[in-house]
């Protein structure tokens, strides 16, 4: 995807009139629980939301379906669809329902639905659209690329790791430093994703794993050009805790620096970070796993080209695990408050 394409798309949008004349268009880049929180909050407000989702996942149910059926990974797409669903709680729970026995153990109904439609139509985009209709999605979910790719990390000594699953399990920061990322084969941005960025009033880079969730989205060919060309306000919502082996010791500014390294230029206008400590019991639980709250180094943030804004963004309540709830089944209990986060984002649009 050339920079000319992104510039042309942006020019078309500008001819359409002033941004302030319409309901704000917000693009959310990410996947997993981070995007789920951002999208769940924005769904409650008056805005047009587009979720851009990565296609490099090769672990869990998504990885098995890729291996067995040759389909694109459905897991992050499913979570974003459920987050934006305006249908009943029962239908959202159905799409997140995870089988616990038999040959389907580990798979969610939503993953199987998306994979079945892709096999039937030979079109993953059609599968996403059909699922969106069933769930009455308020907004849209767009795969960042429709290419079948896997993630590769490479270090200065030319050591390489292949696949999100292997990279996710590795401990490399203290041993090898920070890797470069690329997708194999080369992936090109979905034109619908490029169009969404060009039409956006705000682009939100959701919290998520730097090297296995956000990085793979940002290194898709054409993404850097589109982010550099957009007139949208770009906001990065910083992670709440560090990740052992990947980001231990990282400050808020360190996280933002890695985002911009993969984006190819200083594209961030605002960084939102949390200032409210989670409960003592939860902190102790995370500390045993060497996961610690991300700290704001104020001199770093003061010197940064973006504006850093600290707010109390951590959710007060722990999720209650329920059978079949794929999100609550994860070990992540320190999460962003979706409602507070959404209101902060809308306030930034008003300020911009």
């Amino acid at each position: 995807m050339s920079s000319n394409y992104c510039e042309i798309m942006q020019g078309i949008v500008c001819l359409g009139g002033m941004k302030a004349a319409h309901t704000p268009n917000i693009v959310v880049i990410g996947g997993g629980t981070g995007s789920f929180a951002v999208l769940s909050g924005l769904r409650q407000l008056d805005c047009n939301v587009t979720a851009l989702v990565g296609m490099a996942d090769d672990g869990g149910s998504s990885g098995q379906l890729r291996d067995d059926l040759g389909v694109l990974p459905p897991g992050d797409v499913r979570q974003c669809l459920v987050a934006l669903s305006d249908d009943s709680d029962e239908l959202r729970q159905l799409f997140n329902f995870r089988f616990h026995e038999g040959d389907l153990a580990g798979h969610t109904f939503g993953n199987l639905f998306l994979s079945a439609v892709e096999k039937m139509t030979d079109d993953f985009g059609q599968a996403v659209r059909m699922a969106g209709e069933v769930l009455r999605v308020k907004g849209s979910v767009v795969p960042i690329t429709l290419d079948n790719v896997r993630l590769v990390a490479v270090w200065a000594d030319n050591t390489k790791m292949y696949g999100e699953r292997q990279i996710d399990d590795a401990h490399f920061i203290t041993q090898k430093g920070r890797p470069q990322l690329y997708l194999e084969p080369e992936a090109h941005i979905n034109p619908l994703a490029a169009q969404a960025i060009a039409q956006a009033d705000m682009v939100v880079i959701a919290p998520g794993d730097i090297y296995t969730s956000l990085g793979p989205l940002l290194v898709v060919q054409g993404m850097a050009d589109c982010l550099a060309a957009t007139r949208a306000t770009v906001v990065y919502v910083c992670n709440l805790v560090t990740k052992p082996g990947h980001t231990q010791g990282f400050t808020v500014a360190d996280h933002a620096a890695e985002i911009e390294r993969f984006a190819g230029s200083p594209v961030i206008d605002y960084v939102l970070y949390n200032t409210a400590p989670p409960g003592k019991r939860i902190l102790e639980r995370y500390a045993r796993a060497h996961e610690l709250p991300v700290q704001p180094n104020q001199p770093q943030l003061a010197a940064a080209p973006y504006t850093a804004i600290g707010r109390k963004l951590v959710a007060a309540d722990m999720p209650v695990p329920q059978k079949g709830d794929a999100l609550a089944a994860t070990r992540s209990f320190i999460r962003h408050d979706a409602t507070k986060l959404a209101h902060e984002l809308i306030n930034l649009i008003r300020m911009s």
Side-chain angles (χ1 to χ4, degrees):
M1 183 68 60
S2 68
S3 59
N4 287 338
Y5 177 86
C6 296
E7 290 167 359
I8 290 170
M9 290 302 307
Q10 189 68 61
I12 292 172
V13 173
C14 289
L15 290 174
M18 297 296 290
K19 289 181 180 179
H22 60 252
T23 302
N25 297 319
I26 302 179
V27 170
V28 179
I29 299 173
T33 56
S35 279
F36 189 91
V38 176
L39 296 172
S40 297
L42 290 175
R43 179 175 61 85
Q44 305 169 39
L45 304 180
D46 185 21
C47 55
N48 302 316
V49 183
T50 301
L52 303 187
V53 188
M55 290 286 105
D57 188 6
D58 62 358
S61 172
S62 290
Q64 186 175 341
L65 290 169
R66 291 186 75 172
D67 293 342
D68 292 347
L69 303 178
V71 295
L72 291 174
D76 283 349
V77 167
R78 168 186 53 80
Q79 290 198 27
C80 290
L81 287 166
V82 171
L84 289 173
S85 173
D86 209 26
D87 214 303
S88 64
D89 287 341
E90 289 82 2
L91 193 55
R92 289 196 293 270
Q93 290 171 10
L94 173 62
F95 265 71
N96 268 344
F97 177 80
R98 190 176 299 273
F99 294 90
H100 295 282
E101 58 275 318
D103 293 340
L104 296 180
H107 291 298
T108 62
F109 172 81
N111 286 4
L112 296 174
F113 179 97
L114 288 162
S115 296
V117 177
E118 181 183 356
K119 293 296 288 186
M120 180 180 71
T121 63
D122 198 29
D123 182 351
F124 186 69
Q126 176 62 22
V128 177
R129 288 189 292 274
M130 188 178 294
E133 291 173 3
V134 171
L135 287 164
R136 294 177 58 204
V137 166
K138 185 182 176 183
S140 58
V141 178
V142 178
I144 193 65
T145 182
L146 294 173
D147 298 321
N148 193 350
V149 297
R150 68 172 175 169
L151 180 64
V152 182
V154 58
W155 284 265
D157 63 358
N158 209 34
T159 300
K160 293 183 179 180
M161 289 183 185
Y162 294 89
E164 279 194 12
R165 180 168 46 189
Q166 181 184 19
I167 297 166
D168 190 58
D169 291 340
H171 286 242
F172 50 75
I173 286 295
T174 57
Q175 303 167 10
K176 299 178 180 295
R178 304 180 184 185
Q180 299 290 334
L181 299 177
Y182 66 92
L183 296 171
E184 188 178 78
E186 184 177 80
H188 297 88
I189 192 168
N190 183 345
L192 291 176
Q195 181 181 20
I197 294 172
Q199 293 176 338
D201 299 302
M202 172 176 282
V203 174
V204 180
I205 302 173
D209 287 348
I210 298 291
Y211 300 107
T212 57
S213 181
L214 301 178
L217 283 136
L218 296 171
V219 299
V220 170
Q221 291 297 311
M223 174 62 91
D225 290 334
C226 288
L227 288 175
T230 186
R231 290 174 172 81
T233 300
V234 178
V235 182
Y236 168 52
V237 180
C238 189
N239 293 356
L240 296 171
V241 296
T242 59
K243 179 171 181 174
H246 288 213
T247 59
Q248 72 261 27
F250 273 33
T251 63
V252 171
D254 293 330
H255 280 80
E258 286 294 84
I259 293 295
E260 293 196 319
R261 180 167 72 90
F262 292 127
S265 62
V267 297
I268 297 174
D269 297 305
Y270 293 95
V271 171
L272 276 177
Y273 66 92
N274 175 57
T275 59
K280 181 180 178 181
R281 184 167 60 90
I282 298 300
L283 279 178
E284 290 174 349
R285 176 175 180 171
Y286 270 70
R288 288 195 293 269
H290 307 288
E291 296 174 281
L292 301 172
V294 178
Q295 298 298 321
N297 181 306
Q298 293 302 334
Q300 278 184 310
L301 294 177
Y306 49 76
T307 300
I309 300 175
R311 294 288 188 268
K312 296 179 179 180
L313 298 175
V314 70
D317 299 325
M318 286 176 48
V320 179
Q322 298 177 357
K323 184 177 180 180
D325 184 346
L327 289 177
T330 67
R331 64 182 179 82
S332 177
F333 292 101
I334 298 178
R335 298 185 182 175
H336 285 88
D337 184 304
T339 301
K340 289 181 180 178
L341 184 53
H343 282 289
E344 290 295 338
L345 293 171
I346 293 298
N347 286 339
L348 285 178
I349 289 180
R350 293 169 180 156
M351 290 168 48
S352 301

